[in-house]
Amino acid sequence: MVGRRAHGQLKTTVLALLREADAPVTARMLLERWPEAEPRPAFTTVITVLTRLRQAGAVERIEGAEARFLVRHVAGGVAAESMLAALFESADRGAALMSFAEQLDPKDLDVLRRAVGGDPA
């Protein structure tokens, strides 16, 4: 189909634009900064993506005359944000998490188990 985006492309673009912003931005500001190489979505589509990212914990919403959004920075810095972005882009989050966990060495698995309240043994 012509004009179809790859799965997760909208989320990826919105997150990238939010990361590039110096301050919280509105959905309209995101549309103004939309890359020319990509089809420009409708305003309501951007709002939907922002709402879903907020529900997933990746984005914060700042209330005001017009809501503004910013990327929620997570503990662990850039690596954690990259991991979260990859997870948000995945069509199958469970499979992505399993693939990631299977590639960890035993020490990292122990850290992950402790972080989620599991037994490190």
Side-chain angles (χ1 to χ4, degrees):
M1 294 180 133
V2 177
R4 298 271 315 187
R5 291 179 180 86
H7 180 77
Q9 182 181 352
L10 278 172
K11 286 190 268 188
T12 301
T13 301
V14 167
L15 284 170
L17 291 171
L18 287 171
R19 282 189 188 98
E20 291 170 5
D22 294 334
V25 294
T26 66
R28 292 184 202 292
M29 293 165 82
L30 289 176
L31 284 170
E32 290 170 3
R33 300 170 184 190
W34 204 262
E36 289 183 26
E38 293 183 29
R40 189 172 172 175
F43 173 80
T44 54
T45 301
V46 174
I47 290 293
T48 299
V49 170
L50 288 166
T51 300
R52 289 180 181 162
L53 287 169
R54 181 174 171 245
Q55 290 168 344
V59 168
E60 280 185 57
R61 178 181 170 148
I62 299 170
E63 299 297 332
E66 188 172 12
R68 293 179 180 265
F69 299 86
L70 65 132
V71 172
R72 191 175 147 250
H73 293 282
V74 292
V78 174
E81 286 183 32
S82 295
M83 293 163 62
L84 279 173
L87 186 59
F88 294 136
E89 293 170 17
S90 177
D92 184 344
R93 291 172 69 126
L97 287 168
M98 290 301 295
S99 177
F100 173 74
E102 289 168 356
Q103 297 176 51
L104 295 176
D105 68 40
K107 289 180 183 179
D108 289 336
L109 278 172
D110 288 343
V111 171
L112 185 57
R113 284 186 188 105
R114 283 192 302 274
V116 297
D119 185 352

